[in-house]
């Protein structure tokens, strides 16, 4: 199916809400942590495939601020999985740079240390940037940006009357990369769950019933094919877009 994709129209930035790990495990009579472990294998597969297809940025919603309300044993298992999965192979083998966004200060210190170490170790990699959203929520991110703007205004670095979209974007966690072209959610749910709310204003959305541990290269290509079958208008009319293309 790869040859059916238009390789000149591969999304520059794909964001994924990796949902369904727990249900995948429950249907197999296993603990939720088993599903999260299986989900790591999907991360490896999809990362490699994105590099092969020429995706520049891959953002994965790994742990939301709301996830802190889950049972303590599941949270602990997830933190342990983050530590064990941040291995050099997935990044160095694929020439992938690693970045993390979110309220990192809430994470265990050893997890924080490993995240920063991985960021530094992969900083020179150039094939793709994989961004992991950990302890992240869009409302938290926007509130943080608002606080930064308020401080800048009080200290005279910005005029409140002249604040623009660009001023907000410059204070977001994602300021180092473009907005997602394609947002994928696995697991059958049809919601955004507080993920990149500002950034996905004009992203194409793709929902599928496949649980994340079963989401493979073919499923990714199917999502990209759906994306390529759409016309991105960014507020323009269909006729305007077609005129721009000619």
């Amino acid at each position: 199916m790869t040859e059916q994709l238009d390789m000149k129209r591969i999304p520059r930035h794909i964001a994924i809400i990796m949902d369904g790990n727990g249900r995948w495990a429950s249907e197999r009579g296993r603990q939720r942590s088993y599903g999260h472990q299986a989900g790591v294998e999907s991360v490896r597969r999809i990362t490699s495939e994105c590099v092969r297809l020429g995706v520049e940025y891959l953002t994965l919603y790994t742990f939301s601020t709301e996830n802190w309300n889950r049972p303590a044993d599941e949270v602990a298992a997830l933190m342990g999985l983050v530590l064990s999965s941040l291995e050099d192979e997935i990044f160095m083998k694929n020439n992938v740079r690693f970045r993390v966004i979110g309220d990192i200060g809430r994470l265990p210190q050893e997890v924080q240390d490993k995240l920063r170490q991985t960021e530094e170790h992969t900083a020179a990699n150039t094939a793709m940037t994989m961004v992991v959203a950990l302890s992240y929520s869009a409302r938290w991110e926007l509130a943080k940006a608002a606080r930064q703007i308020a401080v800048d205004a009080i200290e005279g670095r910005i005029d409140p009357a002249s604040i623009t979209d660009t001023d907000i974007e410059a204070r977001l966690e994602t300021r180092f990369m473009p907005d997602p072209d394609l947002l994928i959610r696995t697991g059958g749910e049809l919601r955004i769950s507080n993920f990149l709310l500002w950034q996905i204003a004009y992203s194409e959305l793709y929902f599928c019933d496949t649980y994340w541990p079963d989401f493979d290269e073919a499923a990714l290509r199917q999502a990209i094919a759906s994306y390529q079958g759409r016309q991105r208008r960014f507020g323009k009319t269909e006729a305007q877009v077609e005129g721009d293309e000619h």
Side-chain angles (χ1 to χ4, degrees), residues 231-245:
Q231 183 186 65
R232 305 189 73 196
R233 294 197 288 270
F234 298 98
K236 295 182 179 181
T237 67
E238 182 177 352
Q240 284 177 305
V241 173
E242 291 177 351
D244 291 342
E245 292 174 349

Side-chain angles (χ1 to χ4, degrees), residues 31-49:
Q31 294 183 341
R32 292 176 60 87
S33 58
Y34 177 71
H36 295 311
Q37 290 172 350
V40 172
E41 294 304 317
S42 289
V43 169
R44 293 191 178 102
R45 291 196 303 267
I46 297 307
T47 298
S48 297
E49 183 68 359

Side-chain angles (χ1 to χ4, degrees), residues 79-150:
M79 292 300 104
L81 196 56
V82 169
L83 276 175
S84 63
S85 61
L86 289 174
E87 55 192 33
D88 278 354
E89 180 183 359
I90 190 173
F91 304 112
M92 305 311 290
K93 177 183 177 182
N94 292 288
N95 190 23
V96 170
R97 183 180 187 184
F98 173 80
R99 296 289 298 267
V100 61
I101 60 174
D103 190 3
I104 306 307
R106 294 186 64 181
L107 301 171
Q109 188 59 52
E110 61 178 341
V111 175
Q112 293 184 47
D113 293 343
K114 182 64 174 178
L115 292 169
R116 297 309 178 197
Q117 177 186 347
T118 306
E119 281 190 327
E120 293 170 5
H121 188 59
T122 63
N125 291 348
T126 58
M128 185 181 75
T129 299
M130 183 220 278
V131 182
V132 170
L134 270 173
S135 189
Y136 170 90
S137 82
R139 289 182 175 180
W140 163 84
E141 178 184 34
L142 290 168
K144 179 185 175 187
R147 289 192 297 270
Q148 291 175 344
I149 288 176

